[in-house]
């Protein structure tokens, strides 16, 4: 099929071979249409029953829906055809027939529940809407990588099989590794920090993370894609600058490159690239604003984490992406640095979409002794992390960074109501296959 | 450190603040030099002991090597300095002191064994040579992604936690997944095939794969980076075209963007972008050529796999990258399609560097019944793979693709003698940390 033409490229006057799926057959009596769908769109194939070879008409009009077909013929202008052109076929071949009974309807005329769609992703991604989400997802990842590279960051790949989890033994999936106990890594945090102390200085990674959390919500996954950035010689403010830049770069790329996909998802009008600087609210300001909304039954006090309800109340109030900075030290992990002039306040920050948290970041503790003390305060054994803490004795620069949830970015960007819509093959407590 | 200047950007006449590591201190008596190293290079800082503040001189000349320092001063032309410029300092701050005893010497003057280097990757990647490898690795991955996108392929991410391995239960790491048995995926093979049957048609993924092989050689890893491509409506010849294009794109990008790194690695002269089309030898031709070299103790016969020695003999004979095509069906996995006119020959191919195999690919079996029969022939239970085989009943197009070993690509490109040189934190039978 080397000389195959994409349906979107078929122009009147061309002689083409197209290949794709039998999307629909419409039989009007003396005339019938086969709609062929491929990666780029759809095209109408016309069968004039009295004028054409009987076998050709038979093959083209009796093929079962979603079979793979290959059609050779001439492209002609036809204003009444959905794309303004149609193919007058010389040959039609059924390359791979489909069972007449389909587990879901790729034309989208019959709705299917999410579990059915996830069980049949091959068919589900023949629907324009599902396909659009994943074309946009790919564009987002490419844009974020390009942005990081434009900021002098080097792409790294860190191990997913590890001896110790980033934040200790909870919420880790255990592996049997040649007779030893090991774990699937829940975050590249410690490894990316080891690399900012190297000659690379500034690094990023987009890769899978694994969390054995028992959450079962529309916004948690047990295997997710983490977009991680870490840089020497910047503080938490610098990390927020890069974070904001990456997010805006993703939105800009989607606006520029995915107009058709946004149209398919009904977002052509609603999609907006954030232009303004994201407000940076201190934690203290944030809880004051939440309390002032009056939307919560109970007032927040200093030290409280923000509940989902609190995040949503604040999101409605702010109305766009924003940061929450200067979190109480006690709610942030040991590797986040406290403010030098106030050890009760950390340099940790979150970046929020109005509907949920997207990013967690901060300046890191780069001083060896303070870092080891932090492990102990958190009830972790520093000896188990010596491969990491040891490097802080050999000139570890001040550094900062963040982790951005890839699926949450796509989910909030497109207004999806379940994070599983943004993953091809989600993993949760119930779902391990396909 | 918002106004930090990279050492490579310091021009005579500038007033700068640089930050980096104390690479070397040379004390010549009345004058002393501190060499500061950062991501972009090195710069000399001059201390004229009689003319400068005593504390400043004391700080700048007594700092332990590999400490993190920040220097502010004026940049002056100095032909005798390694980069032609030097900084006359006004202030020197030791930002993070290093222990005087280092586990390895980042200046590279004292050689360290690979295990010591891998235990101390932070310090190891302060060496120009190690850093150069990973800058090139990042360039390779970016170039391959850009190439695939130029070929209309969509980036996908498939799950790493799976219920069944691609080729059955051997060589898989078991996981405990919420009380169920699961595995770390050894290849995205089945998932990328499910996606070529979707509206995406043509996909790629660069991600980790996990193999519990007991190999312990300089060219095997238990966690590796796989570069996977798969496309509907192409055959094995089309897949080889894309494979060859991706490899050449990687070499071209390194030649264009990594001149300094190649120089560091002593490859400035030797590095060559492959220009010619890669020969496509049939398996039968390949074994004839191996036998004709006379380098093997025993002659190969049809059906033999190629040993490492055979691969090397053939590599010397061919002298560049090449493909071996039309392998005997029995040595290739069930999902590789046999030739229609000769069921003993498969469409499977390997792409070879003269020193080793880089790629395994082929046209895939897209016919449901033949695929299920293949599972049975291979001793696998088709029911365990129903999530996969089922989709072949709903219009699975002919398709082909390949998997390219990311580390092997970097290793062969740079002539590294151990694949662990091309991974930040390798995983093998002995090594699980850092």
């Amino acid at each position: 099929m080397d000389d195959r033409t994409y349906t979107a490229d078929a122009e009147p006057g061309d002689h083409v071979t197209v290949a794709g799926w039998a999307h629909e057959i419409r039989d009007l009596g003396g005339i019938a249409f086969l709609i062929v769908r491929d990666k780029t769109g759809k095209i109408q194939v016309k069968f004039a029953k009295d004028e054409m070879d009987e076998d050709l008409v038979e093959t083209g009009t009796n093929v079962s829906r979603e079979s793979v077909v290959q059609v050779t013929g001439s492209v002609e202008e036809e204003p009444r055809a959905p794309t303004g052109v149609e193919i007058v076929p010389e040959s039609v071949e059924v390359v791979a027939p489909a069972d007449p009974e389909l587990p879901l309807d790729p034309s989208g005329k019959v709705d299917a529940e999410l579990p059915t769609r996830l069980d049949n992703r091959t068919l589900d991604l023949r629907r324009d809407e599902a396909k659009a989400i994943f074309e946009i997802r790919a564009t987002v990842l490419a844009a974020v990588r390009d942005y990081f590279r434009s900021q002098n960051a080097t792409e790294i790949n860190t191990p997913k099989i590890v001896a110790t989890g980033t934040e200790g033994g909870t919420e880790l999936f255990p592996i049997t590794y040649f007779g030893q106990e090991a774990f699937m890594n829940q975050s590249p945090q410690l490894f990316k920090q080891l690399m900012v102390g190297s000659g690379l200085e500034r690094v990023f990674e987009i890769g899978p993370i694994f969390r054995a959390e028992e959450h079962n919500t529309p916004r948690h996954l047990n295997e997710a894609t983490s977009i991680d950035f870490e840089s020497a010689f910047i503080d938490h403010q610098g990390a927020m600058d890069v974070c904001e830049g990456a997010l805006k770069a993703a939105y800009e790329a989607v606006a520029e490159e995915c107009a058709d996909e946004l149209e398919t998802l009904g977002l052509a009008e609603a999609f907006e690239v954030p232009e303004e600087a994201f407000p940076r609210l201190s934690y203290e300001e944030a809880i004051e604003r939440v309390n002032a909304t009056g939307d919560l039954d109970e007032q927040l006090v200093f030290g409280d984490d923000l509940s989902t309800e609190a995040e949503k109340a604040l999101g409605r109030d702010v109305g766009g992406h924003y940061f929450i900075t200067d979190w109480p030290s006690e709610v942030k992990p040991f590797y986040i640095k406290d403010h030098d002039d106030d050890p009760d306040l950390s340099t940790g920050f979150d970046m929020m979409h109005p509907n949920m948290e997207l990013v967690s970041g901060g300046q890191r503790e780069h001083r060896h002794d303070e870092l080891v003390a932090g492990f102990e305060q958190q009830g972790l054994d520093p000896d188990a992390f010596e491969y990491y803490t040891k490097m802080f004795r050999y000139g570890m620069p001040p550094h900062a960074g963040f982790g951005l949830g890839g699926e949450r970015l796509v989910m909030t960007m497109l207004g999806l109501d379940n994070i599983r819509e943004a993953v091809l093959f989600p993993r949760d407590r119930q779902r391990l296959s396909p």
Side-chain angles (χ1 to χ4, degrees), chain A:
Chain A
M1 305 196 184
D2 283 355
D3 49 2
R4 173 190 178 219
T5 300
Y6 278 132
T7 59
D9 298 333
E11 300 282 347
D14 292 350
H15 187 262
V16 298
T17 296
V18 300
W21 287 265
H23 183 69
E24 199 182 344
I25 294 124
R26 273 180 297 150
D27 198 327
L28 309 180
I31 205 163
F33 299 105
L34 164 66
I35 311 296
V36 176
R37 187 191 66 239
D38 69 9
K39 183 177 175 114
T40 65
K42 302 182 188 80
I43 198 161
Q44 170 172 306
V45 182
K46 180 173 72 182
F47 296 90
K49 293 185 185 172
D50 293 343
E51 299 162 25
M52 288 182 181
D53 176 78
E54 212 170 296
D55 287 348
L56 178 76
V57 173
E58 171 76 16
T59 305
T61 58
N62 284 309
V63 60
S64 55
R65 283 178 52 213
E66 296 305 318
S67 296
V68 177
V69 294
Q70 177 171 318
V71 178
T72 300
S74 312
V75 185
E76 296 188 357
E77 213 161 333
E78 173 49 70
R80 289 167 298 181
T83 59
V85 297
E86 65 184 8
I87 296 178
V88 178
E90 290 153 21
S91 76
V92 175
E93 188 194 338
V94 178
V95 177
D99 282 4
E101 292 287 321
L102 300 170
L104 66 81
D105 173 18
S107 77
K109 285 179 189 160
V110 184
D111 278 345
E113 298 292 327
L114 185 59
T116 302
R117 292 175 40 217
L118 295 176
D119 286 341
N120 298 280
R121 269 299 205 193
T122 302
L123 292 168
D124 186 42
L125 263 86
R126 294 184 193 168
R127 294 188 312 113
D128 289 341
E129 293 78 7
K131 178 173 169 248
I133 293 170
F134 289 94
E135 295 286 7
I136 288 172
R137 179 185 160 116
T139 302
V140 164
L141 297 187
V144 169
R145 280 194 204 96
D146 287 348
Y147 177 77
F148 287 148
R149 295 177 73 214
S150 78
Q151 301 295 306
N152 291 320
T154 303
E155 181 177 359
I156 59 172
N157 304 91
T158 65
K160 306 310 161 201
I161 302 178
V162 295
T164 51
T166 305
E167 295 172 33
T170 59
E171 305 186 344
L172 290 167
F173 290 114
I175 315 167
T176 306
Y177 187 78
F178 298 119
Q180 291 177 70
E181 185 183 57
F183 301 97
M184 302 188 71
N185 204 8
Q186 67 196 144
S187 159
Q189 181 64 33
L190 308 188
F191 294 100
K192 65 180 180 168
Q193 287 188 262
L194 290 179
M195 285 300 106
V196 302
S198 83
L200 299 178
E201 282 189 21
R202 180 175 278 213
V203 297
F204 73 92
E205 176 169 19
I206 299 182
I209 57 168
F210 308 93
R211 305 210 166 177
E213 294 174 348
E214 302 226 335
H215 290 299
N216 208 1
T217 79
R219 54 188 191 168
H220 287 93
L221 293 165
N222 295 108
E223 176 175 345
T225 302
S226 185
I227 298 171
D228 273 276
F229 174 87
E230 198 78 18
S231 176
F233 301 116
I234 63 169
D235 62 12
H236 57 301
Q237 299 288 351
M240 283 189 267
D241 293 344
V242 175
C243 179
E244 184 169 336
L247 187 119
K248 288 177 173 175
Y251 272 77
E252 277 162 21
V254 170
E256 276 171 32
E257 299 167 33
C258 301
D260 290 348
E261 286 80 6
L262 290 173
E263 178 81 39
T264 295
L265 295 170
L267 296 172
E269 300 298 318
F271 190 82
E272 270 180 51
V273 179
E275 303 284 351
E276 304 293 320
F278 297 172
R280 298 183 184 184
L281 308 181
S282 72
Y283 166 83
E284 200 162 354
E285 291 171 300
I287 59 172
E288 277 168 21
R289 279 182 73 158
V290 172
N291 288 337
T293 63
D295 291 352
L296 261 60
D297 294 338
E298 271 186 72
Q299 296 275 294
L300 295 174
V301 295
F302 190 93
D304 286 349
D305 210 340
L306 266 63
S307 62
T308 305
E309 290 69 38
E311 285 177 8
K312 293 203 169 175
L314 187 52
R316 282 190 297 272
D317 194 37
V318 178
H321 291 90
Y322 63 101
F323 290 96
I324 305 177
T325 67
D326 306 301
W327 284 80
S329 303
E330 61 185 24
V331 306
K332 286 290 174 185
F334 65 87
Y335 50 78
I336 298 282
K337 193 167 184 297
D338 296 333
H339 280 286
D340 289 330
D341 54 3
D342 185 350
D344 293 336
L345 280 188
S346 80
T347 62
F349 65 82
D350 291 351
M351 187 178 73
M352 312 293 296
H353 177 274
N355 291 337
M356 74 186 71
E357 180 192 328
L358 296 181
V359 169
S360 185
Q363 187 171 344
R364 316 309 187 179
E365 180 53 76
H366 68 283
R367 297 164 302 177
H368 176 269
D369 295 352
E370 285 78 355
L371 183 70
V372 170
F375 271 98
E376 285 161 353
Q377 276 166 28
Q378 205 139 337
L380 296 171
D381 175 13
D383 290 348
F385 293 87
E386 207 221 340
Y387 70 89
Y388 163 77
T389 57
K390 186 174 68 167
M391 292 302 132
F392 286 68
R393 287 164 41 198
Y394 306 122
M396 181 60 75
H399 59 284
F402 61 86
L404 160 60
E407 286 80 13
R408 286 191 171 198
L409 173 53
V410 174
M411 178 186 183
T412 52
M413 177 184 271
L414 303 180
L416 307 176
D417 58 10
N418 192 316
I419 198 165
R420 291 162 185 78
E421 297 278 358
V423 197
L424 287 174
F425 301 98
R427 292 291 175 256
D428 59 35
R429 264 192 308 175
Q430 278 76 42
R431 183 170 288 276
L432 178 57
S433 175

